[in-house]
Amino acid sequence: RRRSEWGRRQAGLLDMHQRLREKGVAFVVAIFPMLSQLGSSYSYGGLHEMVRAFCTERGILCVDLLPKFSGRDEYALWVHASDQHPNDVGHRLMAEAIHDFLRAQGLL
């Protein structure tokens, strides 16, 4: 089942990439980390790699935001102790990483 879900997502990414390319619009995939276990025990590194590899193989621009968060205290990035969504600091880090990537790619 997981493979078929990933297959559908791959097809969706390829479709978006193709439609935007036809219109001359850059398509960039941003991989957002889960804000937990941001140190060496981060559980989702394999998923980040899977998405990065897929994008690279298909010529889709991709920015992985995990390096901007690695080793940080995740609790300081949460909206609330019971809500792991990013707070203002987390959103700023994400925005900075995306901005830096877009600038490096000449898209700004």
Side-chain angles (χ1 to χ4, degrees):
R1 180 170 168 95
R2 179 171 283 185
R3 262 191 193 273
S4 64
E5 289 175 14
W6 174 229
R8 286 193 300 274
R9 281 153 182 77
Q10 288 174 323
L13 290 169
L14 291 172
D15 183 57
M16 285 188 280
H17 181 56
Q18 178 62 33
R19 289 172 187 258
L20 290 171
R21 185 173 40 209
E22 289 169 1
K23 297 187 183 305
V25 177
F27 178 55
V28 179
V29 171
I31 305 170
F32 291 79
M34 295 295 292
L35 297 181
S36 61
Q37 300 175 336
L38 292 171
S40 60
S41 61
Y42 183 70
S43 300
Y44 304 99
L47 294 175
H48 285 247
E49 178 54 37
M50 184 174 69
V51 174
R52 277 194 318 269
F54 171 79
C55 289
T56 299
E57 292 167 5
R58 303 322 189 276
I60 297 171
L61 294 174
C62 180
V63 56
D64 189 349
L65 306 181
L66 181 60
K68 193 79 168 174
F69 290 85
S70 290
R72 292 185 179 268
D73 174 15
E74 61 253 22
Y75 303 107
L77 301 169
W78 296 353
V79 170
H80 185 270
S82 64
D83 184 349
Q84 295 181 358
H85 286 91
N87 60 18
D88 61 320
V89 175
H91 279 282
R92 181 180 45 76
L93 291 170
M94 290 175 191
E96 288 172 356
I98 292 169
H99 181 267
D100 292 348
F101 179 83
L102 294 175
R103 179 170 296 217
Q105 294 295 317
L107 295 172
L108 293 179

